Amino acid sequence: MSPSLSPLIHLIDDDAAVRDSLALLIGTVGLRVQQWGSPQDFMAQFDRAGIGAIVLDVRMPGSSGLTVLDRLIAEGVDQPVIMLTGHGTVDMCRRAFKAGAAEFLEKPVDDQVLLDALQSAVQRHVGSRQRNREDRDARERYAQLSVREREVLGLIVAGLTNKEIGRALDVSPRTVETHRANLFTKLDAESLAQLIRRYAALVEDTA
Amino acid sequence: MPHHRATPAVALAGLVIAIAGCVTLARLELNHLRDGFETDARIIHRLLSQRTAQQDAVMAMLALLQPATQGAAAPPGPRISAVYPQILEVRQRDDNNPWPDAAMQAGEDESRRSHRAAIGGVDFASGRYQLVQAAAPASYAAQIDLRSMVPWEEWPMQPEASPVRVTLEYHGQHYVVQAGHDRVGQWQFDFRKRLAADSQPFDVVAVRSVGWTDLPWLKMLGWTLLTGAALAALHALERQRTERRRAEELLRLGQVARLNTLGELAAGVAHELNQPLTAILASTQAASRLLNDEPPDLATARDAMVRTVEQARRAAAVVGRMRRVVERPDVATRLQPVNLQEAVRNALYLLEPECARLGVRPAVMDGTVVVQADPVALEQIIHNLLANALQALAQVPARERALSIAMQPEGAHGVLTVCDSGTGIPADVLPRIFEPFFTTRSGGLGLGLSLCESLAADMNGTLTATNAAQRGALFRLSLPLAKTP
């Protein structure tokens, strides 16, 4: 993994001393940290496409951490958000999770707790990005299929044999076999199981 | 303010009650007068009926007892008049002497027909009438005087003063027995009944006229005043209760406000301390990790330690600032002579509902001890001590609850003691009882007694806690006596 692709942690806290020391701690496990002193700057500038996570202080002047969280979720930002608070009430904790926070930690936070939370958040983010890319690819490939090919795919997913598909579509099993070969090529599938796993949901969505 | 809006309604209700009461009183009085009138009228009727019956009997006796031969005896008139003063004269008629007038003859005819005495002429204008008894050989006629016929000694009314008009009526003639008051009033009582003796069918007519002046004005005035007084008392009571409630509300609000301020303060302190603590923890843990690296990153670790020191100093500064905020330098400047008795009374007044709820009657020892204190701080201390005592008392059965408050001078100090009959202070708690944030109550902040002790110290006094000899806790507040001018 090149340095620019290693996960980036956004650290937002108005207290420079807290920011510096947390950044130092996070840096010891090889994660890159970008510090933000104001939520406004962060919202205006941070890289939404990057891989990583966001650490947000709940109590900040100007804009409450919860408000920032709401705006991030509304914007569709997919980086997991870890909330940090000085004195977390049960109510605040509930609100944070309801709003979509990945984690809610109390200051002062123990190193292992914070680092574990960050690493699992980053892993989840990478995983979700991966799944998103696969979904997008599958959708693009599916769009290239002809109408007949889609029909054949639908019947394959439904569990019919070539003979049954031929009868259903009133074509010869040989023609079905040709469509089937095209499907595997166009959809970049190596096995029937892979084909069904990736495209069953799409077939059902478009049916 | 609710009770100001309610005032016209209360006044209206009062007016209605007063009027209703007066009407009832008037009706009761009218009923009473009517009952009295009717009783009197019945008595009159009975008395007069008895007299007429008596006269009948006399006439019958005359007829029965007459001598068999004419003129043998003197007429019985004078002797009868002596016994019956209303019979003025008795005449006797035999076959040779006719009656002087036709009415008497008609009376005799009637008497002969009915076998009893009969009226032989009526002259109510002069208050006389003739009663005729037909008999043989002679018939008798008695002239009866109405005025003498009335049994005044048994009369139920004062004939001169009574407002009741009594008359006898017979065929359009009237005889006034008793004049009464002849004014026409608002209400009129009537009584009319024929006398019981058939021989003398006179109607007894009684009329009583009752006017406004006969109403029980004094009682009605009394009732109105009473209603007014009761309403005024009720109003005053209500206002007192409202004010009391408002005072309690204010007190409660004050406590809530103080708690809110305290909460804000605590939240502020927590944040202020949390930031450096977070930095310290993160830096030291980062340094520890850096030192464990192979090879150890000494430069960065050293840097982290420098930061840690900075942040520890920052935390210390927060604590110092806090202490200066919490200090109360102004208490010492507000010292003035305060009567302990009065301060205790004020504090007890506010706790009265609580005392009543627990059934505690605080025993306050008499005595005037004037100390040098800040009245507000002193009251706060006493309030706290009493509230604590009441809370302790709530833990023991109601009949064992006792709270005594005493004050006496001791050397240059005035000492106030608050002693309850609660469960006392456990031995392990006693040494820590004035520590801030130390509490045995869930939900308690543990600041009350700590604050009291600091307030006492600010006023150059002391506050100590012990267990009483018998049972319960004993708090002792000692403050310098005020200098006598």
Side-chain angles (χ1 to χ4, degrees):
Chain A
M1 226 183 268
S2 68
S4 67
L5 285 180
S6 82
L8 178 63
I9 309 299
H10 296 280
L11 184 58
I12 305 129
D13 196 314
D14 59 326
D15 191 318
V18 172
R19 236 167 35 225
D20 284 346
S21 51
L22 285 177
L24 183 66
L25 179 65
I26 296 167
T28 60
V29 292
L31 290 166
R32 294 183 304 137
V33 181
Q34 186 168 7
Q35 297 186 27
W36 303 89
S38 94
Q40 287 75 22
D41 290 352
F42 164 72
M43 287 304 289
Q45 295 166 26
F46 91 102
D47 174 20
R48 283 146 173 84
I51 293 283
I54 297 165
V55 178
L56 193 55
D57 185 20
V58 172
R59 182 172 156 154
M60 278 183 295
S63 173
S64 147
L66 285 172
T67 319
V68 178
L69 175 65
D70 286 340
R71 281 170 55 198
L72 286 172
I73 300 296
E75 237 187 66
V77 168
D78 64 348
Q79 277 106 323
V81 180
I82 292 171
M83 306 296 289
L84 271 187
T85 177
H87 60 299
T89 61
V90 174
D91 183 52
M92 191 190 280
C93 183
R94 197 180 52 234
R95 273 175 61 200
F97 278 121
K98 219 171 167 181
E103 205 47 89
F104 191 88
L105 301 177
E106 251 191 283
K107 280 184 186 173
V109 61
D110 203 64
D111 58 347
Q112 208 54 55
V113 173
L114 176 66
L115 296 174
D116 285 353
L118 275 173
Q119 267 157 348
S120 81
V122 166
Q123 261 168 32
R124 250 177 300 145
H125 189 221
V126 170
S128 83
R129 281 280 169 98
Q130 186 85 36
R131 270 195 307 284
N132 282 349
R133 196 168 52 242
E134 281 169 5
D135 280 358
R136 202 168 51 241
D137 287 354
R139 204 160 286 139
E140 278 166 10
R141 291 208 174 90
Y142 185 76
Q144 290 166 4
L145 301 182
S146 69
V147 175
R148 180 57 92 183
E149 280 162 356
R150 283 186 201 178
E151 283 173 350
V152 173
L153 176 62
L155 294 170
I156 291 173
V157 168
L160 271 62
T161 63
N162 281 0
K163 257 187 206 164
E164 289 165 335
I165 293 171
R167 268 204 295 282
L169 297 178
D170 201 15
V171 293
S172 72
R174 194 168 193 77
T175 319
V176 175
E177 187 55 49
T178 314
H179 285 314
R180 197 184 175 101
N182 285 347
L183 274 175
F184 272 78
T185 315
K186 281 190 181 173
L187 297 180
D188 191 24
E190 282 156 9
S191 68
L192 180 63
Q194 198 183 44
L195 182 89
I196 290 172
R197 196 175 63 234
R198 280 196 197 156
Y199 296 97
L202 269 176
V203 169
E204 273 159 26
D205 282 354
T206 49
Chain B
M1 303 288 155
H3 78 262
H4 286 310
R5 248 205 321 275
T7 303
V10 169
L12 194 69
L15 200 67
V16 168
I17 292 171
I19 288 173
C22 287
V23 167
T24 307
L25 281 172
R27 289 176 67 167
L28 282 174
E29 180 69 13
L30 285 174
N31 283 347
H32 176 70
L33 288 176
R34 182 189 299 278
D35 286 350
F37 166 81
E38 282 176 354
T39 307
D40 287 352
R42 276 199 304 277
I43 292 172
I44 292 167
H45 179 264
R46 182 167 48 77
L47 289 174
L48 292 176
S49 294
Q50 280 168 359
R51 281 299 158 104
T52 48
Q54 196 178 48
Q55 286 150 200
D56 269 358
V58 170
M59 295 309 282
M61 290 293 281
L62 281 174
L64 283 174
L65 295 178
Q66 65 176 300
T69 50
Q70 283 294 312
R79 276 180 293 135
I80 288 178
S81 294
V83 184
Y84 302 105
Q86 74 267 36
I87 300 176
L88 295 177
E89 177 191 21
V90 177
R91 290 191 208 181
Q92 196 175 339
R93 183 197 77 85
D94 47 35
D95 292 338
N96 310 324
N97 312 315
W99 291 113
D101 60 48
M104 290 173 80
Q105 187 55 54
E108 187 185 332
D109 294 346
E110 167 69 21
S111 173
R112 203 169 294 284
R113 198 162 47 246
S114 60
H115 305 289
R116 53 161 170 74
I119 294 290
V122 168
D123 181 13
F124 277 180
S126 58
R128 309 256 161 103
Y129 71 94
Q130 296 285 345
L131 191 60
V132 182
Q133 175 72 50
S139 294
Y140 293 89
Q143 188 180 41
I144 295 174
D145 178 48
L146 283 164
R147 178 141 192 84
S148 313
M149 189 180 115
V150 177
W152 293 113
E153 65 282 2
E154 292 172 58
W155 203 246
M157 293 171 275
Q158 295 281 324
E160 305 306 322
S162 171
V164 181
R165 181 179 180 84
V166 181
T167 51
L168 285 174
E169 290 182 21
Y170 180 73
H171 293 306
Q173 295 196 55
H174 299 261
Y175 174 75
V176 177
V177 180
Q178 178 177 292
H181 296 162
D182 65 344
R183 56 153 201 253
V184 176
Q186 195 66 24
W187 298 272
Q188 181 137 332
F189 308 146
D190 294 297
F191 177 90
R192 172 182 289 270
K193 196 168 179 187
R194 189 150 291 180
L195 288 178
D198 292 336
S199 57
Q200 295 143 83
F202 306 143
D203 286 335
V204 178
V205 177
V207 177
R208 163 89 202 255
S209 174
V210 176
W212 292 110
T213 50
D214 293 308
L215 293 181
W217 289 112
L218 208 63
K219 280 189 196 169
M220 281 152 72
L221 181 69
W223 169 255
T224 308
L225 289 178
L226 204 70
T227 311
L231 273 176
L234 206 71
H235 186 66
L237 202 73
E238 178 60 30
R239 181 153 57 194
Q240 202 182 353
R241 265 178 42 194
T242 312
E243 270 164 21
R244 179 87 178 261
R245 223 177 8 243
R246 196 173 309 147
E248 278 163 14
E249 191 71 3
L250 281 178
L251 183 77
R252 204 175 57 75
L253 282 179
Q255 280 167 349
V256 169
R258 223 172 311 155
L259 275 180
N260 278 345
T261 315
L262 208 60
E264 285 292 311
L265 192 70
V269 172
H271 180 72
E272 288 285 298
L273 284 179
N274 247 328
Q275 294 296 93
L277 284 176
T278 306
I280 289 169
L281 190 62
S283 297
T284 49
Q285 286 176 329
S288 160
R289 281 165 181 276
L290 291 167
L291 293 174
N292 285 336
D293 277 355
E294 204 51 57
D297 183 350
L298 291 177
T300 315
R302 200 172 289 127
D303 218 33
M305 294 321 289
V306 170
R307 267 188 228 168
T308 305
V309 172
E310 271 171 22
Q311 290 306 305
R313 288 216 175 98
R314 176 181 166 191
V318 168
V319 172
R321 205 160 62 234
M322 257 294 298
R323 194 175 292 140
R324 281 196 297 284
V325 167
V326 177
E327 270 170 15
R328 296 162 305 275
D330 48 345
V331 166
T333 64
R334 286 198 302 248
L335 293 182
Q336 53 180 276
V338 184
N339 188 345
L340 277 176
Q341 187 87 33
E342 232 161 72
V344 167
R345 204 178 309 129
N346 287 345
L348 275 177
Y349 175 74
L350 291 174
L351 288 168
E352 218 169 77
E354 187 66 9
C355 287
R357 196 177 65 75
L358 292 171
V360 174
R361 294 175 61 88
V364 184
M365 207 176 86
D366 278 338
T368 304
V369 179
V370 181
V371 294
Q372 194 71 12
D374 168 28
V376 177
L378 178 61
E379 254 175 55
Q380 190 161 10
I381 296 175
I382 298 175
H383 184 270
N384 246 309
L385 293 182
L386 293 176
N388 276 349
L390 288 175
Q391 260 156 0
L393 289 176
Q395 311 297 318
V396 299
R399 60 195 161 72
E400 292 175 23
R401 291 171 190 162
L403 173 60
S404 60
I405 301 148
M407 54 221 73
Q408 72 267 346
E410 278 184 28
H413 285 79
V415 175
L416 173 82
T417 51
V418 174
C419 186
D420 64 62
S421 65
T423 50
I425 308 162
D428 58 325
V429 169
L430 203 50
R432 303 187 57 197
I433 198 160
F434 292 115
E435 274 179 28
F437 298 108
F438 177 79
T439 180
T440 53
R441 285 200 302 273
S442 62
L445 272 172
L447 285 177
L449 282 176
S450 161
L451 181 68
C452 286
E453 198 201 20
S454 344
L455 285 173
D458 287 347
M459 297 188 285
N460 310 314
T462 55
L463 177 63
T464 55
T466 49
N467 278 313
Q470 309 290 328
R471 61 180 294 183
L474 192 152
F475 283 86
R476 229 178 99 94
L477 173 68
S478 168
L479 290 167
L481 284 172
K483 287 164 194 65
T484 37

